[in-house]
Amino acid sequence: MAGGRDAALARRLAALARTGLSASPDAGMDRFARLVANVLDVPVALVALAEDDRQVFPGLAGAARPWSVSRQTTLADSLCEYVVESGAPLVVTDARTDPRTLSGPVVTHLHAAGYMGMPLTDSHGVVLGALCAVDLRPRRWREREVQALNDLAAACAAELRLRIVSRQAEEARAETAALLARSELVLRASEVLADTAGVEEVRTQVGELITSDLKPVYVGFSLEPVRRSGRARTRPRGQGQAPQVDPDGGAWPTARAVRDKRLVEVHGDEEVRAVYGQDAAARWERLGFASMVCLPLAGTRRMLGALVLAWDTEHRPDVAERAVLYAVSGYAAQALERAQFLDDRIDVARRLQEAMLTDLPTVDGLEMAALYRPAATQDMVGGDWYDAYTLGRAESPDGEAATLAVTIGDITGHDMRAATLMGQARSMLRQADHDHPDGGPVTAVQALESANTVLDLDLSGTLVHAHLAPAADGWTLTWTNAGHPAPLLVLPGATCEHLADHDLLLHPSLHGRRTQHRLHLPAGATLLLYTDGLVERPGHDIDAGIQHACALLYEGADSPLEEVLETIADRVAGDAPGDDVALLALRVTHPPHAGTARRARSERR
């Protein structure tokens, strides 16, 4: 019996909640009360609704204070309770003497005598309350009066049902809209995560997707360490994990989600303490979370980790939210697996590319500096390189001095293949220089092109290759330019100029006679070789970038070359270049061996 009463109460309270009515005045319900008072000629009329332990009067006519203000009283022993419990009309001539009604609040506080109440039901027959007519004197109700109140009660109940249906329709629309939004979220996840290229990009996209709908205060990944061949287990780069959220120890929801391969949720510090221990509870309290949900990220070959969401107020995902989270975690796992694969390839290419970057030789009479900056985007691995190496010895006015070869180049492409071809081009150009010591830079470049054709490497790109030989009061620069941005030169007492003569770019299908040029570099001259990543940016004028670099090179005539290159890269390329940037600078400090010769003559004297 108790269970039946509890179920009936639950149904009634749910229906009342959907009406939106309580102890506040309602214009529609007040109108029904006035109709009852006028039609039946009674001093007091009520629309009474039965809540858990009180009755409320959203419709009221004729009652004085405090009823007209509070619009509520206890439900126990009330006339309304009798109608709700019986589900039948209650018609009483004198409520003060009727054993069913003599102790109720309507009798004791309103001094009611004649009373008539009709049940108000929803569409399922659940009695929500009563429409009541109250007379302060005993009254024998006539049949037509009972019928009139019954008709008014039917109209009032229809109004209540309409409100319930309207609220249900609103709830259905809201639920449909939520389901549609979550379906769109899943669709967006499938589209957005299909194009992600790195672990950090995946985390950012997942965070934006989920935060827009479920409003967590934290979204992150707890990723398992990856065992790479020949190396220790390391966490993937760019994952953005916070140690306080994802500790190394296993007593934490993320570890349980990975271990059990299922969704794990936890709510409140007491649950954390009971399941994961005191240390975990202390960490939870520091984080300020109220709820956390962790979902496993299952890859095709191994468990990648867990997707973590947390809220600062209690949040228990419903069935629809769980379905969305499972779908998003599935797409995220696919994207992470792809991103980690790409990261591995990029990491190898980066190491290959960096291994190809030369340690600059020490050459008497020259100051040299180089700078390489990879593109800001993770996948921009390319074929930019610089190189500098000695070719042998040559006669100078003060004896033999080292000759030098320098190169700046850019192989077409931004992938591992471009980095590999760059390494081959670098090695073949070095070999060509040593095989043809008297041919000059143009001979070496032509030998590179010949090897490219014979070996069918399909190598293309641009470069500047130059030789520097000692001269009487400085150095002689001989260079050839295969379609590359022109070197910049600052001579003592002069402004910056472009060494603009260049030939066709490198390509197996392009064959033409290459030219080389010669220029004297006196003491104080500064030469800058660079790749197009320095000056070529979307929405920016290339010529303006070159002029900016030229001005900075001129302004840095008295500064160390390392500082000059950092300044040029910072101000011209910016802090997020869209392409790799390679710079190589040389400054003539004095004629080769001049200082050594002077010291030797001084010692002889």
Side-chain angles (χ1 to χ4, degrees), residues 58-278:
L60 184 149
R65 287 175 175 269
W67 284 55
S68 61
V69 176
S70 67
R71 290 190 177 234
Q72 61 179 302
T73 186
T74 59
L75 182 63
D77 298 324
S78 69
L79 301 176
C80 180
E81 182 187 32
Y82 182 89
V83 174
V84 170
E85 291 293 335
S86 67
L90 177 62
V91 180
V92 179
T93 300
D94 191 348
R96 297 170 299 181
T97 60
D98 193 305
R100 299 171 297 176
T101 60
L102 56 86
S103 61
V106 173
V107 176
T108 57
H109 299 302
L110 283 179
H111 307 292
Y115 172 85
M116 183 166 50
M118 294 292 173
L120 300 171
T121 60
D122 69 4
S123 58
H124 300 288
V126 176
V127 181
L128 309 180
L131 182 63
C132 310
V134 180
D135 201 326
L136 305 183
R137 298 172 300 172
R139 181 166 176 171
R140 292 187 179 277
W141 303 96
R142 290 174 290 181
E143 182 63 28
R144 66 178 183 82
E145 292 174 331
V146 174
Q147 186 60 49
L149 186 60
N150 187 58
D151 290 342
L152 289 172
C156 185
E159 172 68 16
L160 294 176
R161 293 169 189 169
L162 180 61
R163 295 190 184 206
I164 291 172
V165 170
S166 297
R167 180 63 62 89
Q168 288 174 325
E170 291 176 5
E171 292 173 353
R173 282 194 296 270
E175 184 177 351
T176 301
L179 289 173
L180 179 60
R182 287 164 185 167
S183 298
E184 292 175 348
L185 187 153
V186 173
L187 179 60
R188 290 201 310 273
S190 67
E191 294 173 345
V192 170
L193 295 178
D195 296 329
T196 49
V199 172
E200 182 58 26
E201 186 180 355
V202 176
R203 189 203 67 77
T204 300
Q205 294 288 0
V206 170
E208 291 177 353
L209 285 166
I210 294 178
T211 301
S212 65
D213 185 63
L214 302 182
K215 305 295 188 288
V217 296
Y218 175 83
V219 178
F221 290 140
S222 168
L223 298 182
E224 290 290 281
V226 179
R227 184 176 296 280
R228 305 190 189 279
S229 177
R231 292 193 289 169
R233 289 170 67 86
T234 59
R235 291 197 181 274
R237 294 181 297 114
Q239 64 182 313
Q241 288 184 166
Q244 70 273 21
V245 175
D246 182 46
D248 292 332
W252 195 247
T254 52
R256 188 174 183 183
V258 172
R259 183 178 63 251
D260 296 350
K261 300 179 183 179
R262 65 177 180 86
L263 182 147
V264 171
E265 57 181 292
V266 63
H267 307 281
D269 54 357
E270 290 301 323
E271 185 176 343
V272 174
R273 183 176 293 103
V275 178
Y276 300 99
Q278 188 61 43

Side-chain angles (χ1 to χ4, degrees), residues 332-396:
Q334 295 176 18
L336 282 171
E337 195 164 45
R338 183 177 62 253
Q340 289 178 0
F341 174 73
L342 292 175
D343 280 352
D344 283 346
R345 291 192 60 182
I346 293 166
D347 190 49
V348 170
R350 286 270 187 231
R351 293 200 305 272
L352 172 63
Q353 192 169 40
E354 290 168 1
M356 296 294 180
L357 299 178
T358 304
D359 290 332
L360 301 179
T362 300
V363 177
D364 183 61
L366 291 175
E367 177 188 357
M368 282 187 285
L371 181 147
Y372 173 79
R373 286 186 181 177
T377 316
Q378 286 289 335
D379 61 345
M380 295 293 278
V381 179
D384 290 28
W385 93 95
Y386 63 82
D387 201 4
Y389 48 91
T390 57
L391 292 171
R393 313 289 293 180
E395 290 295 327
S396 76

Side-chain angles (χ1 to χ4, degrees), residues 321-336:
E321 289 176 348
R322 284 169 172 256
V324 168
L325 291 176
Y326 268 116
V328 172
S329 65
Y331 288 123
Q334 295 176 18
L336 282 171

